[in-house]
Amino acid sequence: SQTIHQWPATLVQPVGSPLSLECTVEGTSNPNLYWYRQAAGRGLQLLFYSVGIGQISSEVPQNLSASRPQDRQFILSSKKLLLSDSGFYLCAWSVWNSGVQNTEAFFGQGTRLTVV
Amino acid sequence: SQQGEEDPQALSIQEGENATMNCSYKTSINNLQWYRQNSGRGLVHLILIRSNEREKHSGRLRVTLDTSKKSSSLLITASRAADTASYFCATRSVRDRGSTLGRLYFGRGTQLTVWP
């Protein structure tokens, strides 16, 4: 069966420090991968989207970057964190190809990032 | 923005009552999905309705879709205290050239509280 791992669960980082959040998927190949951010009491904002190794689409300009060094690994990074980067970060995957459009997304348990 | 918008933002009911949440969106969609999020956790997929479907059932869940009005509703019948959570609608869009195919956009969610 497919599973998704996201870590760490919580993280407190000082302003100006670097960030690396990792997400891995098991049990599937060539997944679509997503990074979302959720501000307190708000909806999910799509940050990055990837359809394959090295293929990253950024949805909004920001202080963050994403990389996909392996098929089932998705990394969210920042060189210097800002206070506004605080939030709940969620990784997700789904199946997508032209013949299989109607599929759901599967989410990790999220990382609560607090920038102090 | 292609994000859906749910209303109400918050809903408080007694156990046994029905809960209805609505979602509106802006662009043509391939499908619409509903997710549930317990506090501080990842999202869990509940139900998916395709753009050519008008109604779908799953257990105590009933989803309707009106593509002419670009709206959907989620009905939870005979609610239980365990249904307390945030509920989000998400859309997969259809766009020319497929530039956004595969992306999944979420609304801000409805916080449902069911009192025992």
Side-chain angles (χ1 to χ4, degrees):
Chain A
S1 62
Q2 303 93 348
T3 57
I4 179 169
H5 302 281
Q6 186 181 344
W7 68 93
T10 60
L11 190 60
V12 179
Q13 292 282 105
V15 169
S17 64
L19 172 73
S20 180
L21 301 181
E22 189 164 342
C23 172
T24 60
V25 180
E26 296 177 356
T28 188
S29 296
N30 196 33
N32 288 347
L33 296 172
Y34 310 81
W35 276 112
Y36 288 91
R37 176 169 58 200
Q38 185 178 29
R42 303 293 297 275
L44 278 71
Q45 180 185 33
L46 180 60
L47 301 176
F48 298 98
Y49 167 68
S50 173
V51 297
I53 296 175
Q55 300 179 62
I56 311 292
S57 296
S58 174
E59 285 291 302
V60 294
Q62 57 204 308
N63 186 41
L64 302 167
S65 63
S67 62
R68 185 171 177 174
Q70 300 180 44
D71 181 42
R72 290 170 286 182
Q73 183 185 29
F74 206 20
I75 298 172
L76 183 69
S77 304
S78 173
K79 292 182 179 179
K80 289 185 178 181
L81 284 169
L82 305 172
L83 287 174
S84 58
D85 291 324
S86 294
F88 190 50
Y89 289 84
L90 289 156
C91 179
W93 74 272
S94 71
V95 173
W96 175 272
N97 60 57
S98 60
V100 186
Q101 299 176 10
N102 295 307
T103 62
E104 66 266 38
F106 300 90
F107 282 81
Q109 290 303 300
T111 295
R112 175 78 57 195
L113 172 66
T114 304
V115 182
V116 295
Chain B
S1 169
Q2 299 183 24
Q3 291 181 339
E5 292 291 338
E6 294 92 341
D7 77 270
Q9 291 188 3
L11 182 61
S12 185
I13 59 175
Q14 295 290 130
E15 266 193 330
E17 295 180 341
N18 296 340
T20 299
M21 290 160 271
N22 303 295
C23 169
S24 60
Y25 56 92
K26 298 179 180 178
T27 64
S28 297
I29 61 170
N30 181 285
N31 64 68
L32 187 144
Q33 305 175 27
W34 285 91
Y35 289 79
R36 167 193 168 125
Q37 183 184 34
N38 288 343
S39 180
R41 306 297 298 274
L43 278 72
V44 175
H45 179 261
L46 294 176
I47 194 167
L48 180 153
I49 186 165
R50 297 182 176 86
S51 60
N52 61 354
E53 296 177 313
R54 292 297 167 259
E55 187 171 315
K56 201 162 184 179
H57 298 256
S58 177
R60 293 184 295 114
L61 305 180
R62 172 178 169 252
V63 170
T64 63
L65 179 65
D66 187 335
T67 53
S68 66
K69 296 181 179 179
K70 291 186 168 57
S71 67
S72 173
S73 68
L74 170 67
L75 169 68
I76 304 175
T77 60
S79 62
R80 306 166 181 167
D83 294 329
T84 295
S86 292
Y87 292 83
F88 295 87
C89 69
T91 56
R92 281 201 190 276
S93 60
V94 175
R95 285 245 345 236
D96 291 341
R97 304 179 185 174
S99 62
T100 61
L101 287 176
R103 287 167 168 77
L104 193 60
Y105 294 99
F106 285 80
R108 299 186 180 208
T110 293
Q111 173 61 51
L112 173 66
T113 302
V114 182
W115 299 99

